């Protein structure tokens, strides 16, 4: 009888949990990756609704949909939700799904930690969104949370700071998991310089996260102690300096920009070789360029604050180091174009998003070079030109790469093919109207329209109307994306081959090694790698 009980206990232990237990107690990297992606899509929707409200207010000069404090609260929430709630969790979701598959690992190295790092997020997001509804109004200090603006918002202020702490803890735990997995669980023969580019970009991103999230935590904690415990880090009346907050915040803030974009570089480096039917041009150069970008991102933070009264020597240093970061980025763009050069191209939805990324991310890069120049930055700083710049980097950059990655790997995940026609509709609506939305903002900024204002002079009305119309159609067209994904999972046509792109790559193991194997292939064995080395 005792043996029967033991056998039953073992059977129960081995039995996979079903229903809600499968998700709450998930340790499977695919389940956790799926939950991250669903959370990111939810926050993307909420952040997008805030953006629609902002564009509705700015549709015409003199619109009075929201009072100024409410408007600024919307801009604060939109920025924080999109960065910490949408883009970063989406990248972690893709990392959870793909890194073990790409390096031949059975799962992430620390599965229970993986579960914890996800389940911290719903509480953090709830706290952040709840700060919008507490008495006294939401924080209206911008996503940068500058101290003189932040400390007048009562209960919303500490709620937001604790939400930031929770999101930071989640990011650090996730980053530790990624590093441990990549360093310890690679398949035999999978050396670092044979890893797919997506794995490489995530390894470097994870180190960035561990380095800079504590800096943000320190900055907001100093604000908290200024407000509640009588310290004077940023309070000029007590001998502090608000500009100190800018230095600490942007020391976090600039590497954070690369945390948002480096995994996108990895995905584009996966998609372009597949649909060019060629191996990636300059694989090692891409790895070193990624590492160079990550290193340089730590020494350029001052370009966000040229106008605070910085010494000329510091301005020169930050200007030149910022321009230097364009070199490794240029290497990457050159290599992507060289990969496509004389390739046998086909334009399925992932490739369409990758090509749009190349063009539109480059526009964001060029406007970034303009902002890197101190004399011109004096004119552009605090205008809509800056808004146009960073949205070109983050929407056609990070968001388009996420779309491309999901369209690329969804058939692999689900075993079904999505509606190609609808996916192309989603692409064309997105790529046209993202430009209608953000390109006019360059003109508004150059003409002198300030950012973060609920109303503006009448001469800015025409371009604001164009921008708002683009925003409404771009926002509405994103409804297609979850519809395409859900339809694919429920009723998509089953795919027979290992991947629908098998016909597109034609590479198999004829590539001269060391070449990264592709994410749709089975992880290589020692024999395969030896065979590749012989060739």
């Amino acid at each position: 009888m005792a043996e029967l009980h033991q056998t039953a206990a073992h059977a129960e232990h081995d039995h996979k949990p079903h229903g809600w237990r499968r998700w709450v107690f998930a340790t499977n990297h695919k389940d956790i990756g799926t939950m991250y992606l669903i959370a990111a899509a939810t926050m993307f929707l909420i952040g997008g609704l805030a953006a629609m409200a902002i564009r509705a207010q700015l549709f015409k000069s003199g619109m009075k949909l929201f009072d100024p404090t409410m408007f600024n609260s919307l801009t604060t929430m939109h920025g924080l939700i999109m960065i910490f709630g949408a883009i970063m969790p989406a990248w972690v979701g893709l990392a959870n799904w793909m890194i073990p598959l790409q390096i031949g690992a059975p799962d992430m190295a620390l599965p229970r930690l993986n579960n914890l790092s996800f389940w911290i997020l719903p509480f953090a997001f709830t706290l952040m969104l709840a700060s919008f509804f507490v008495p006294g109004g939401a924080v209206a200090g911008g996503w940068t949370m500058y101290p003189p603006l932040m400390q007048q918002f009562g209960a919303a202020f500490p709620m937001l700071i604790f939400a930031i702490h929770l999101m930071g803890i989640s990011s650090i735990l996730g980053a530790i998991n990624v590093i441990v997995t990549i360093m310890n669980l690679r398949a035999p023969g999978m050396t670092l310089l044979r890893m797919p580019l997506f794995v490489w970009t995530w390894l470097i991103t994870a180190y960035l996260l561990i380095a800079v999230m504590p800096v943000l935590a320190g900055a907001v904690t100093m604000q908290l102690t200024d407000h509640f415990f009588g310290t004077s880090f940023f309070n000029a009346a007590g001998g502090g300096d608000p500009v100190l907050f800018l230095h600490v915040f942007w020391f976090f803030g600039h590497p954070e920009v690369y945390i948002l974009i480096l995994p996108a570089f990895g995905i584009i480096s996966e998609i372009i070789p597949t649909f060019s039917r060629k191996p990636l041009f300059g694989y090692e150069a891409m790895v070193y360029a990624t590492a160079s970008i990550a290193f340089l991102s730590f020494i350029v933070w001052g370009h966000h604050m040229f106008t605070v009264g910085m010494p000329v020597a510091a301005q020169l240093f930050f200007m030149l180091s910022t321009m230097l970061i364009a070199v490794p980025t240029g290497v990457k763009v050159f290599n992507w174009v060289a990969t496509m050069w004389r390739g046998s191209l086909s334009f399925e939805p992932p490739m369409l998003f990758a090509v749009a990324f190349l063009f539109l991310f480059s526009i964001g890069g060029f406007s970034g070079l303009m902002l890197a120049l101190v004399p011109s930055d004096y004119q552009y700083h605090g205008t809509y030109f800056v808004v146009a710049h960073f949205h070109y980097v983050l929407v056609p950059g990070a968001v388009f790469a996420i779309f491309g990655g999901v369209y690329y790997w969804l058939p692999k995940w689900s075993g079904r093919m999505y509606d190609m026609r609808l996916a192309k509709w989603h692409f064309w609506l997105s790529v046209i109207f993202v430009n209608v939305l953000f390109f006019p903002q360059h003109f508004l900024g150059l003409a002198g329209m300030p950012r973060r204002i609920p109303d503006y002079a009448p001469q800015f009305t025409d371009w604001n109307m164009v921008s708002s119309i683009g925003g409404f159609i771009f926002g509405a067209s994103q409804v297609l994306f979850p519809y395409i994904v859900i339809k694919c999972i429920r009723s998509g046509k089953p795919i027979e081959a290992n991947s629908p792109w098998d016909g597109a790559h034609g590479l198999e193991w004829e590539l001269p090694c060391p070449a990264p194997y592709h994410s749709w292939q089975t992880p290589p064995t020692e024999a395969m790698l030896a065979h590749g080395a012989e060739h």
Side-chain angles (χ1 to χ4, degrees):
M1 183 65 81
E3 284 175 7
L4 278 173
H5 276 301
Q6 271 188 329
T7 310
H10 280 301
E12 191 179 337
H13 180 72
D14 293 337
H15 187 64
K16 284 187 178 178
H18 291 291
W20 61 270
R21 287 173 176 274
R22 172 185 169 181
W23 303 102
V24 172
F25 302 120
T27 50
N28 180 297
H29 70 101
K30 297 174 183 178
D31 286 348
I32 294 172
T34 301
M35 290 194 294
Y36 266 111
L37 290 169
I38 292 168
T42 306
M43 295 303 281
F44 186 70
L45 174 67
I46 297 167
L49 291 173
M52 296 299 100
I54 291 164
R55 286 315 320 168
Q57 170 81 356
L58 295 174
F59 185 75
K60 269 177 75 175
S61 173
M63 290 286 274
K64 295 289 186 289
L65 298 177
F66 309 105
D67 65 68
T69 304
M70 178 65 169
F71 177 84
N72 287 334
S73 300
L74 284 167
T75 61
T76 303
M77 282 292 140
H78 168 68
L80 288 168
I81 288 167
M82 287 305 200
I83 290 169
F84 295 109
I87 296 177
M88 286 175 69
W91 286 139
V92 181
L94 290 168
N96 263 291
W97 253 102
M98 294 313 302
I99 287 174
L101 298 181
Q102 291 190 321
I103 63 172
D107 204 314
M108 297 296 277
L110 308 165
R112 292 186 188 281
L113 189 74
N114 205 7
N115 177 283
L116 176 66
S117 62
F118 171 76
W119 282 111
I120 289 170
L121 286 182
F123 297 98
F125 297 158
T126 304
L127 199 57
M128 183 166 71
L129 294 171
S131 73
F132 198 69
F133 301 102
V134 295
V139 173
W143 84 273
T144 50
M145 299 175 284
Y146 286 166
L149 299 168
M150 278 286 285
Q151 298 185 11
Q152 51 188 302
F153 294 104
F157 165 69
M159 286 174 74
L160 188 63
I161 284 177
F162 284 124
I164 295 285
H165 275 302
L166 287 173
M167 289 185 273
I169 291 166
S170 170
S171 295
I172 291 167
L173 296 179
I176 290 168
N177 209 350
V178 166
I179 292 168
V180 175
T181 303
I182 293 170
M183 288 304 186
N184 292 298
L185 294 186
R186 300 194 305 279
M190 171 65 73
T191 60
L192 286 175
L193 284 175
R194 281 178 174 149
M195 295 194 310
L197 251 294
F198 181 67
V199 179
W200 255 116
T201 52
W202 240 111
L203 178 64
I204 292 165
T205 300
Y207 279 110
L208 283 180
L209 276 166
I210 290 171
V212 302
M213 291 313 290
V215 177
L216 176 65
V220 295
T221 305
M222 289 153 82
Q223 282 217 53
L224 207 61
T225 59
D226 272 10
H227 191 64
F228 292 105
F229 299 105
T231 57
S232 292
F233 292 111
F234 311 128
N235 182 6
D241 186 358
V243 174
L244 171 63
F245 179 84
L246 271 66
H247 280 287
V248 179
F249 179 86
W250 286 114
F251 186 80
F252 148 81
H254 199 79
E256 168 66 17
V257 173
Y258 289 96
I259 288 165
L260 298 175
I261 203 67
L262 285 182
F265 292 167
I267 281 182
I268 300 306
S269 303
E270 300 272 333
I271 293 171
I272 286 178
T274 300
F275 298 100
S276 302
R277 295 161 178 80
K278 282 175 64 186
L280 183 71
F281 180 89
Y283 167 81
E284 286 193 28
M286 295 290 260
V287 172
Y288 297 132
T290 307
S292 307
I293 289 168
F295 170 75
L296 290 170
S297 73
F298 281 99
I299 59 170
V300 300
W301 78 88
H303 66 223
H304 291 273
M305 39 189 291
F306 280 145
T307 57
V308 300
M310 201 180 279
V312 172
Q315 289 183 332
L316 273 172
F317 170 79
F318 286 122
M319 177 173 80
L320 295 172
S321 59
T322 303
M323 293 171 77
L324 188 62
I325 216 166
V327 175
T329 311
V331 167
K332 296 180 90 67
V333 173
F334 174 82
N335 285 11
W336 288 323
V337 173
T339 303
M340 290 192 287
W341 181 253
R342 300 190 72 179
S344 181
L345 301 178
S346 64
F347 295 98
E348 284 84 0
M351 185 62 162
L352 290 172
F353 276 105
V355 173
F357 172 97
L358 275 185
F359 281 101
L360 302 181
F361 178 78
S362 297
I363 292 173
F366 285 128
S367 59
L369 272 177
M370 293 166 70
L371 290 161
L373 302 168
V374 176
S376 55
D377 184 75
Y378 267 88
Q379 178 182 342
Y380 307 143
H381 189 86
T383 70
Y384 254 79
F385 189 87
V386 179
V387 178
H389 157 68
F390 69 73
H391 279 93
Y392 260 94
V393 170
L394 291 179
V395 182
V399 175
F400 273 27
I402 291 165
F403 289 152
V406 172
Y407 282 134
Y408 185 51
W409 285 317
L410 182 62
K412 175 75 172 170
W413 298 342
S414 66
R416 296 176 179 275
M417 194 59 201
Y418 49 82
D419 187 325
M420 205 69 91
R421 186 178 56 86
L422 273 182
K424 287 184 178 179
W425 266 102
H426 175 224
F427 167 75
W428 285 111
L429 287 169
S430 296
V431 80
I432 291 166
F433 289 102
V434 81
N435 285 292
V436 176
L437 167 56
F438 294 122
F439 208 83
Q441 294 177 8
H442 292 103
F443 310 147
L444 292 166
L446 292 173
M449 178 177 160
R451 59 193 285 206
R452 292 183 181 165
I453 52 165
D455 199 3
Y456 50 83
Q459 65 263 33
F460 300 126
T461 301
D462 290 349
W463 283 123
N464 267 299
M465 289 178 95
V466 171
S467 182
S468 289
I469 291 166
F472 298 145
I473 302 176
F474 175 76
S477 65
Q478 299 321 305
V479 176
L480 275 172
F481 183 62
Y483 174 74
I484 291 164
V485 172
I486 293 164
K487 183 183 173 193
C488 168
I489 293 165
R490 285 189 169 177
S491 59
K493 184 182 175 186
I495 53 172
E496 294 173 10
N498 190 28
S499 157
W501 319 130
D502 273 351
H505 63 82
L507 300 174
E508 297 306 334
W509 281 96
E510 297 306 315
L511 294 176
C513 279
Y517 79 98
H518 288 276
S519 50
W520 58 81
Q521 292 173 320
T522 307
T525 62
E526 288 277 18
M528 291 165 79
L529 289 164
H531 169 74
E534 287 165 17
H535 285 69

